[in-house]
Amino acid sequence: MTGPVESALIDGIREKGCIHLALIDPEKFANTLPGIVTDLEDHGTTAIMIGGSTLRSSAQLDRTVKTIRDSCSLPTILFPNGPVGISRFAHAIFFMSLLNSSSTRYLIESQVIGASVVRRFNLEPIPVGYMVVGQSETAVSAVGRAKHIPFSEVDLATDYALAAQYLGMRFVYLEAGSGAEHMVEPRMVSRVSERINVPLIVGGGIRTPSQAERLAKAGASAIVTGTVLEQEGPGRVKQILAALKRA
Ligand code: 1GP
């Protein structure tokens, strides 16, 4: 069943073509957070994702989610690295399986541990097939023990994405890794988005408006930026949002 946050994402994609999701890593943002999320809302970001591959403190996560909710009215979506990434204060959670992980922990075990917590906290689960692509080693590929899918392996990525859709996952997420040197190649985005009927989220290494525009034109339904927000602030995201509008 589609919940209100998922509906807001789908409506946003229908209306705008490609939406922007801002990723806040609780370990990297501190006192500037209220101003940042207020600006993001003004600029037209659709939702805030909260999480990070190395998150260890659920108390820190709770504080971050509460601060975001006190400062803006955007939907908050958890982007968990495991059961520690679940907070009762968020609206929803990307309930993901890291499809190309070689570890059953990231494929299903963490989800089994987290499922009853999601239910108890009354979080809206949004099923996502998550895959890490690209050549470079990043925190997520190392932590998640991802099997290599180079950007040249477009057919392999497409097969994973189709499998995710056929398993009932309602979004596919192509991840190059936070801070990646190279974002997902538009060629891969274009082929995958052509073949699947569910929205395609793309993230990792997106820093400039022109990169965002190329991904949107290639068929991304949502782009995620985290590092650029940390390093350059919401002003840069405003430019990225303008580029998405152009695309
Ligand atoms: C990481 O896709 C996100 O999970 C965002 O990546 O930090 O490189 O923007 P960046």
Side-chain angles (χ1 to χ4, degrees):
M1 226 183 40
T2 307
V5 175
E6 186 173 345
S7 298
L9 298 181
I10 300 292
D11 291 348
I13 293 165
R14 210 168 281 143
E15 185 194 324
K16 299 180 178 173
C18 181
I19 57 171
H20 176 254
L21 305 173
L23 174 64
I24 302 286
D25 183 338
E27 292 185 327
K28 295 185 183 153
F29 285 87
N31 347 359
T32 49
L33 197 49
I36 288 176
V37 294
T38 313
D39 285 351
L40 288 173
E41 185 167 24
D42 288 347
H43 298 337
T45 290
T46 299
I48 310 276
M49 290 163 53
I50 306 135
S53 328
T54 54
L55 182 82
R56 269 164 301 152
S57 159
S58 44
Q60 188 182 35
L61 174 66
D62 283 346
R63 277 197 303 277
T64 305
V65 179
K66 278 202 259 186
T67 304
I68 294 170
R69 290 203 59 175
D70 288 346
S71 316
C72 72
S73 57
L74 291 172
T76 50
I77 307 173
L78 298 169
F79 182 53
N81 56 339
V84 72
I86 307 176
S87 166
R88 67 174 74 239
F89 300 106
H91 296 101
I93 179 166
F94 278 152
F95 204 83
M96 316 186 292
S97 176
L98 176 47
L99 299 173
N100 62 319
S101 177
S102 57
S103 162
T104 50
R105 174 171 168 190
Y106 296 98
L107 284 165
I108 186 63
E109 288 168 18
S110 296
Q111 294 79 346
V112 171
I113 296 167
S116 60
V117 185
V118 169
R119 185 171 187 276
R120 194 164 68 245
F121 290 171
N122 205 19
L123 295 166
E124 177 187 332
I126 303 176
V128 174
Y130 185 56
M131 40 204 282
V132 177
V133 294
Q135 281 79 346
S136 51
E137 166 122 334
T138 55
V140 66
S141 69
V143 172
R145 288 178 232 147
K147 284 186 274 185
H148 211 49
I149 306 179
F151 291 135
S152 55
E153 296 282 347
V154 170
D155 288 338
L156 182 60
T158 306
D159 290 343
Y160 269 100
L162 261 184
Q165 176 182 317
Y166 293 162
L167 283 165
M169 292 161 175
R170 297 201 288 267
F171 290 80
V172 168
Y173 191 143
L174 283 180
E175 170 73 88
S178 187
E181 200 182 331
H182 301 286
M183 67 172 191
V184 182
E185 286 186 2
R187 199 170 73 93
M188 182 179 269
V189 171
S190 144
R191 178 81 67 86
V192 171
S193 67
E194 256 167 46
R195 295 285 162 89
I196 58 173
N197 300 320
V198 297
L200 178 62
I201 305 170
V202 183
I206 305 167
R207 295 182 181 81
T208 67
S210 76
Q211 285 178 313
E213 192 172 344
R214 283 167 62 212
L215 293 171
K217 282 185 173 152
S221 311
I223 64 144
V224 181
T225 62
T227 304
V228 84
L229 180 61
E230 282 156 41
Q231 294 178 349
E232 298 179 47
R236 189 60 158 172
V237 172
K238 188 178 183 182
Q239 296 169 352
I240 288 177
L241 276 150
L244 292 182
K245 215 170 184 177
R246 277 199 301 276

